[in-house]
C-alpha cells in the first residue's frame, strides 16, 4: 500500500493544476488528503505551467506503538528553461532523414526520461523497503520485548499463584485438621453424653420400677385400709341404723305420749270450759250476771 501511495504521488502533479488519473488498484478514499494552498491567478500565470519535483529524501518516524509516519522531502522545483526557438526551415526543405532523426531523438529523450523515472522510483522503493524493514525490525523488537515482559509477568503470576495455592492448601490442611480434631472431640463428648444418658435412663428405669412397685404396694395397703375402713363404716352404719331406729321408735313413742297428754289436756280444758259456761248460764239465769252484748 505504501508503495502504491508513493507511486501515485510521483505520477500526480504536485501543484494540483493538472489531475492525473489515479490507478484503478487504489481507491481515492484511501489517498491522504492534503490541503492545497491557492494562490493568486497572477502568481500562477507568472510561473511555468509544468514544474517537476525530484524526491531527495524519505524520513521514517515512529509516532505511536506499531505505527510509522513517512515524510517525503522534495527538492527545489527544477524549472526547465524553454529552449530557444529555432528558425524553421520551409516545409518543403524537411527531408525524411530529418524527420527520422527528430523521431529518434524524441525516442531517446523519452527513454532517458523513463529511465530517470525508473531510477527515481527504484530509489524511492528501496528507501520505502528500508523503512519497512526498520519498521518490521522495531515491530519484532517490540513484540519480542512485549513477549519477554509478558512471559516474565506470567512467570511472576505463576509463582504468586503457586505460592497462593500452597498457602491456601496449608491453610486448608490446618483447617481440616482442626475440624477433624473438633469432630473427634465432639464424637467423644457425644459418646460420653450417650453413656451418661443411658446410665441415667437405666437408673431412671430402675427408680421408675421401684417407684411403681412402691406405688403398687401403697395402693394395695390403701385398698386394704379402705376395705378396713369400709367394714368399720359398715359396722358403724349398722350401729347408727340401729340407734336411729331406736331413736325413731322412742320418738314415736314420745310423740304418741305427747299427743295423748295433749288430748287429755284438751279434754280437761273443754270440761273446765263447759263447767264455766254452765256456771255462767246459771248465774245469768239466776240474774246474778248481766249477759254481755258480744
Amino acid at each position: 500500500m505504501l508503495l502504491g501511495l508513493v507511486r501515485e504521488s510521483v505520477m500526480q502533479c504536485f501543484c494540483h493544476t493538472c489531475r492525473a488519473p489515479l490507478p484503478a488498484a487504489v481507491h481515492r478514499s484511501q489517498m491522504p488528503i492534503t490541503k492545497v494552498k491557492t494562490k493568486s491567478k497572477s502568481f500562477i500565470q507568472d510561473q511555468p505551467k509544468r514544474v517537476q519535483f525530484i524526491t531527495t529524501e524519505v524520513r521514517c518516524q515512529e509516532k505511536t506503538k506499531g505505527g510509522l509516519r513517512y515524510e517525503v522531502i522534495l527538492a527545489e522545483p527544477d524549472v526547465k528553461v524553454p529552449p530557444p526557438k529555432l528558425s524553421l526551415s520551409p516545409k518543403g526543405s524537411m527531408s525524411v532523414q530529418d524527420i527520422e532523426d527528430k523521431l529518434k531523438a524524441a525516442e531517446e529523450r523519452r527513454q532517458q526520461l523513463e529511465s530517470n523515472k525508473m531510477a527515481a522510483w527504484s530509489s524511492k522503493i528501496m528507501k520505502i523497503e528500508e523503512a519497512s524493514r526498520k519498521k518490521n525490525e522495531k515491530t519484532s523488537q517490540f513484540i519480542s520485548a512485549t513477549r519477554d515482559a509478558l512471559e516474565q509477568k506470567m512467570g511472576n503470576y505463576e509463582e504468586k499463584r503457586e505460592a497462593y495455592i500452597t498457602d491456601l492448601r496449608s491453610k486448608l490442611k490446618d483447617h481440616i485438621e482442626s475440624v477433624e480434631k473438633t469432630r473427634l472431640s465432639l464424637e467423644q463428648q457425644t459418646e460420653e453424653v450417650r453413656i451418661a444418658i443411658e446410665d441415667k435412663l437405666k437408673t431412671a428405669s430402675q427408680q421408675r420400677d421401684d417407684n411403681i412397685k412402691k406405688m403398687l404396694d401403697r395402693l394395695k395397703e390403701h385398698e386394704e385400709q379402705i376395705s378396713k375402713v369400709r367394714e368399720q363404716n359398715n359396722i358403724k352404719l349398722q350401729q347408727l341404723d340401729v340407734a336411729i331406729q331406736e331413736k325413731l321408735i322412742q320418738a314415736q313413742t314420745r310423740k304418741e305420749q305427747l299427743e295423748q297428754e295433749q288430748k287429755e289436756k284438751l279434754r280437761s280444758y273443754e270440761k273446765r270450759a263447759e263447767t264455766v259456761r254452765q256456771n255462767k248460764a246459771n248465774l245469768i239465769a239466776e240474774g246474778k250476771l248481766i249477759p254481755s252484748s258480744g
Side-chain angles (χ1 to χ4, degrees):
M1 182 176 177
L2 294 174
L3 297 176
L5 292 175
V6 174
R7 194 177 289 114
E8 288 166 359
S9 66
V10 173
M11 292 176 65
Q12 190 174 1
C13 181
F14 286 94
C15 67
H16 296 278
T17 56
C18 61
R19 296 291 180 178
L22 295 174
V26 182
H27 196 267
R28 187 174 294 275
S29 61
Q30 299 178 356
M31 292 292 294
I33 299 173
T34 56
K35 187 176 181 181
V36 180
K37 296 183 179 179
T38 59
K39 298 182 179 180
S40 62
K41 293 181 180 180
S42 61
F43 180 76
I44 294 172
Q45 290 174 1
D46 294 339
Q47 289 184 350
K49 290 185 178 180
R50 292 187 180 181
V51 180
Q52 184 178 2
F53 290 89
I54 299 174
T55 305
T56 59
E57 185 180 357
V58 178
R59 293 180 183 177
C60 177
Q61 185 179 3
E62 185 177 359
K63 286 292 183 181
T64 59
K65 292 182 178 181
L68 296 176
R69 176 182 175 183
Y70 294 95
E71 294 183 1
V72 180
I73 300 173
L74 303 176
E76 294 295 328
D78 186 11
V79 180
K80 290 184 178 180
V81 179
K85 294 182 180 181
L86 300 175
S87 59
L88 299 174
S89 60
K91 294 182 180 180
S93 62
M94 292 181 66
S95 63
V96 177
Q97 185 64 32
D98 295 333
I99 293 170
E100 289 180 355
D101 292 339
K102 287 183 179 180
L103 290 173
K104 188 176 180 180
E107 182 66 21
E108 289 177 356
R109 287 196 300 273
R110 186 180 66 79
Q111 289 179 358
Q112 183 66 28
L113 288 174
E114 287 183 356
S115 64
N116 291 334
K117 286 184 180 180
M118 290 300 294
W121 289 352
S122 298
S123 63
K124 287 180 183 179
I125 289 169
M126 288 176 66
K127 290 179 181 179
I128 290 171
E129 288 178 352
E130 182 67 20
S132 178
R133 184 181 62 78
K134 290 181 179 179
K135 176 191 173 184
N136 292 331
E137 288 179 358
K138 289 184 178 180
T139 304
S140 62
Q141 290 176 2
F142 174 75
I143 290 171
S144 63
T146 306
R147 185 185 294 111
D148 294 337
L150 185 60
E151 287 177 356
Q152 185 178 2
K153 189 181 291 185
M154 289 298 294
N156 294 332
Y157 174 74
E158 288 292 333
E159 290 178 359
K160 290 181 180 179
R161 180 171 173 272
E162 290 295 331
Y164 175 74
I165 290 172
T166 305
D167 186 21
L168 187 62
R169 283 177 179 172
S170 63
K171 288 182 179 179
L172 284 173
K173 185 177 180 182
D174 296 338
H175 180 68
I176 290 170
E177 289 177 356
S178 176
V179 170
E180 187 66 22
K181 289 179 181 178
T182 306
R183 187 182 65 79
L184 292 173
S185 177
L186 287 174
E187 286 181 356
Q188 186 177 0
Q189 291 178 2
T190 305
E191 186 66 22
E192 292 176 355
V193 171
R194 187 180 64 79
I195 293 170
I197 290 171
E198 287 180 355
D199 293 339
K200 287 184 179 180
L201 287 174
K202 288 179 181 179
T203 307
S205 177
Q206 188 175 359
Q207 289 179 357
R208 184 174 61 84
D209 294 337
D210 294 339
N211 292 329
I212 291 171
K213 188 175 180 181
K214 289 178 181 179
M215 288 177 67
L216 291 173
D217 294 338
R218 289 178 182 177
L219 286 172
K220 189 175 180 180
E221 292 177 357
H222 185 65
E223 287 179 356
E224 292 176 356
Q225 186 70 25
I226 287 171
S227 61
K228 290 179 181 180
V229 171
R230 187 179 291 116
E231 290 177 358
Q232 291 177 1
N233 288 333
N234 289 330
I235 293 169
K236 288 181 179 180
L237 283 173
Q238 291 176 0
Q239 292 177 358
L240 187 60
D241 238 351
V242 172
I244 288 169
Q245 290 295 330
E246 290 178 355
K247 286 183 178 181
L248 286 173
I249 293 168
Q250 290 176 2
Q252 186 67 27
T253 306
R254 182 66 178 166
K255 181 181 178 183
E256 290 176 356
Q257 290 176 359
L258 288 174
E259 287 178 356
Q260 190 67 29
E261 288 177 357
Q262 288 293 330
K263 288 179 181 180
E264 290 293 334
K265 286 180 180 179
L266 186 58
R267 288 193 192 104
S268 63
Y269 179 74
E270 287 177 355
K271 287 179 179 180
R272 283 196 303 269
E274 185 67 27
T275 303
V276 170
R277 280 196 299 271
Q278 280 294 358
N279 291 331
K280 186 177 180 181
N282 292 327
L283 290 173
I284 289 170
E286 291 176 357
K288 292 179 179 181
L289 182 63
I290 296 171
S292 61
S293 60

